[in-house]
Amino acid sequence: MQRYSFPKLLWQACRGNTGWGPAWATPTLKRSYDVVVIGGGGHGLATAYFLAKKHGVRRVAVLERGHIGQGNSGRNTQVTRSNYFYPVSSSFFDHSLKLYDGLGQELNFNVMLRQDGQINLAHSPHDLEIIRRWANAIRMNGVNAEVLSEPEVRKLVPLLNTKSRFPILGALIQRRAGISRHDAVVWGFARGASAHGADIIQGCEVTGIQKSGDRVTGVVTSQGPLNCDRVVMAVSNQCSILARMAGFTLPITTTTLQAMVTEPIKPILDPCVISAQIHAYVSQSDRGEIVIGGSADVYNSYRQRGSFAITRGVLSAVLELFPSFSRLKLMRQWAGAVDITPDTSPIMGLTPIKNLYINCGWGTGGYKAIPAGGETMAYTVVHDKPHPLIKAYDLERFERGALIDEGAASGVAH
Ligand SMILES: Cc1cc2nc3c(=O)[nH]c(=O)nc-3n(C[C@H](O)[C@H](O)[C@H](O)COP(=O)(O)OP(=O)(O)OC[C@H]3O[C@@H](n4cnc5c(N)ncnc54)[C@H](O)[C@@H]3O)c2cc1C
């Protein structure tokens, strides 16, 4: 792998950028691997990266049915934060945020992380009370959180209309939260995994799981069958389908979540602003576009196209908060199918099939978890036992009733 550096950029600029090689290799599929990772989204690629880099597992393949990042990892609104309520979520997501802090250096790839904070608006005295309790809980988990008064919110986001029919009485802020470039995270992990010897195979769909008794022995793909010792499923909205192929079921429902961007404008918005009450959030990308998101569709579907009713509802909510945005043109709208668990926390770890591991159920909020998800899954695969940070996210928690209900911290909050 060629290292990227300032002198190299300068040198290439002088040569008309004609000397760059491909960022990752495109090998042909081998017939046997130590570990096969199904799904070339952020979680699959990060798992392969940490398997190869941290644990020295070289014979790793990432099998992606289309192109890497075509799933939710390339469709999200890039919000990265760790203000979760329960200690188990807080420690996992804060670890991920810390990994994001140094991810550019780790991958030698600019992931364009911008930590300008995320604010959650309070529209009523009740909201304010909840936000105070939330801030206290987060602080007790060792994660930074502050409550802002209405003038402080106005100072931070001058364009916000604090006196609309949804008045703003204050807000919760996590200053270390922010956004980064989702494609860069996917490409950076792909490049790093490839440099450490993992094979990234695009256009290779897994159509079957091979087993001997209760142990996985390989997978069947659109490019033929192959043998392997261990398999990781990191296929988000396709997880129920893959689990059924392997012979077990998952408590997942799938629905559509959409996002949209306006035309680019000069920088006017630093933090990401969220209103969980009126179901909308906005941030401004480095390209200047206002990135808009909101609630998911209210019915189950695998479609990657959000319903117009939600588009309209989200946009009217945004215009209540930011009336001046009514002058902007909407440039693009898109959606992804998100895999949601009953408690909105992920499922990670072992499965009823030996040597088959699962990473799914991220729903509307798994982008921020990519570095920690990859790191902890790699550990889990190598040691055949869950990493301490993800022990509580096991599939069996639904049998034990040990749910981690983060409904208030996920959903529209992403
Ligand atoms: C509109 C939207 C906004 C969002 N905003 C945020 C946000 O702001 N912050 C946040 O933290 N999260 C957000 N999310 C959620 C986040 O994007 C996902 O939780 C995360 O990207 C999941 O990553 P993944 O690697 O598990 O899945 P994916 O990125 O979906 O990757 C799974 C891959 O598996 C492949 N695959 C599926 N089946 C097979 C098969 N049989 N064989 C081979 N390959 C297969 C797919 O093609 C896909 O590339 C958002 C999601 C959406 C849709």
Side-chain angles (χ1 to χ4, degrees):
M1 179 178 81
Q2 51 183 338
R3 277 195 69 76
Y4 297 146
S5 62
F6 179 68
K8 214 163 227 166
L9 278 178
L10 204 60
W11 169 237
Q12 286 294 347
C14 298
R15 301 176 57 200
N17 282 308
T18 50
W20 296 115
W24 57 86
T26 44
T28 45
L29 185 67
K30 301 184 184 82
R31 290 296 149 213
S32 134
Y33 286 98
D34 292 338
V35 182
V36 162
V37 181
I38 313 172
H43 282 275
L45 291 162
T47 303
Y49 172 78
F50 285 110
L51 276 170
K53 162 132 198 247
K54 211 166 168 175
H55 302 283
V57 185
R58 291 283 178 263
R59 296 174 66 245
V60 181
V62 179
L63 308 183
E64 166 53 51
R65 66 177 176 174
H67 58 263
I68 59 168
Q70 74 167 17
N72 292 339
S73 298
R75 292 166 186 270
N76 58 65
T77 43
Q78 321 184 125
V79 177
T80 311
R81 62 184 174 88
S82 64
N83 50 2
Y84 282 70
F85 192 78
Y86 290 102
V88 48
S89 325
S90 205
S91 50
F92 174 81
F93 285 100
D94 206 52
H95 179 61
S96 204
L97 191 52
K98 284 178 188 145
L99 292 181
Y100 261 110
D101 283 345
L103 198 59
Q105 280 82 9
E106 167 76 27
L107 299 176
N108 178 232
F109 202 89
N110 187 359
V111 297
M112 298 164 86
L113 176 69
R114 219 181 72 210
Q115 289 171 291
D116 282 334
Q118 187 220 43
I119 65 175
N120 288 264
L121 302 175
H123 297 289
S124 65
H126 173 78
D127 278 359
L128 255 190
E129 179 56 23
I130 295 293
I131 272 178
R132 277 191 207 110
R133 290 181 191 200
W134 190 5
N136 286 340
I138 295 167
R139 279 201 293 259
M140 280 172 70
N141 294 336
V143 174
N144 65 311
E146 293 159 50
V147 176
L148 300 179
S149 64
E150 188 258 347
E152 286 170 325
V153 176
R154 242 186 309 128
K155 194 165 168 216
L156 209 59
V157 191
L159 285 185
L160 201 53
N161 179 9
T162 56
K163 309 271 183 240
S164 75
R165 67 193 168 107
F166 302 108
I168 292 160
L169 308 189
L172 173 80
I173 183 163
Q174 183 181 24
R175 294 194 193 269
R176 286 166 55 230
I179 54 169
S180 50
R181 173 82 196 272
H182 54 201
D183 300 315
V185 171
V186 167
W187 298 334
F189 273 118
R191 177 170 171 269
S194 173
H196 286 95
D199 285 358
I200 292 160
I201 315 283
Q202 303 187 73
C204 180
E205 179 167 4
V206 171
T207 53
I209 308 281
Q210 291 179 324
K211 291 188 296 181
S212 167
D214 66 347
R215 175 184 289 268
V216 77
T217 56
V219 293
V220 183
T221 78
S222 53
Q223 298 185 19
L226 59 95
N227 299 323
C228 57
D229 297 336
R230 283 156 201 244
V231 174
V232 181
M233 280 169 34
V235 293
S236 67
N237 51 51
Q238 299 297 298
C239 59
S240 303
I241 295 165
L242 268 283
R244 202 180 313 131
M245 286 179 197
F248 63 99
T249 53
L250 291 172
I252 296 269
T253 51
T254 304
T255 187
T256 307
L257 179 68
Q258 60 180 287
M260 45 211 131
V261 288
T262 68
E263 61 187 317
I265 48 173
K266 67 182 180 183
I268 45 99
L269 184 62
D270 289 335
C272 172
V273 180
I274 292 192
S275 168
Q277 293 309 321
I278 58 173
H279 287 200
Y281 65 98
V282 293
S283 63
Q284 186 169 25
S285 75
D286 285 342
R287 280 185 294 212
E289 298 158 336
I290 303 297
V291 182
I292 300 171
S295 23
D297 279 0
V298 288
Y299 48 87
N300 296 135
S301 161
Y302 284 104
R303 273 161 54 106
Q304 290 179 315
R305 198 172 173 184
S307 69
F308 184 63
I310 296 284
T311 316
R312 205 171 46 183
V314 169
L315 286 177
S316 40
V318 168
L319 295 185
E320 281 289 340
L321 299 176
F322 295 94
S324 55
F325 287 179
S326 64
R327 278 175 255 155
L328 297 178
K329 289 195 190 92
L330 200 63
M331 300 294 279
R332 292 188 303 282
Q333 181 264 14
W334 67 92
V338 288
D339 42 335
I340 299 180
T341 57
D343 60 359
T344 67
S345 289
I347 300 173
M348 298 174 82
L350 279 53
T351 70
I353 314 297
K354 257 202 114 352
N355 292 357
L356 176 64
Y357 307 88
I358 195 159
N359 173 343
C360 69
W362 291 106
T364 62
Y367 171 68
K368 66 182 75 61
I370 286 173
E375 190 187 51
T376 53
M377 281 308 292
Y379 174 101
T380 303
V381 171
V382 169
H383 297 275
D384 194 31
K385 68 169 193 210
H387 186 284
L389 274 179
I390 62 167
K391 214 160 168 241
Y393 292 140
D394 63 338
L395 177 56
E396 283 173 2
R397 77 176 184 271
F398 298 101
E399 284 171 24
R400 296 195 307 274
L403 306 190
I404 309 155
D405 190 349
E406 285 289 357
S410 52
V412 75
H414 299 300

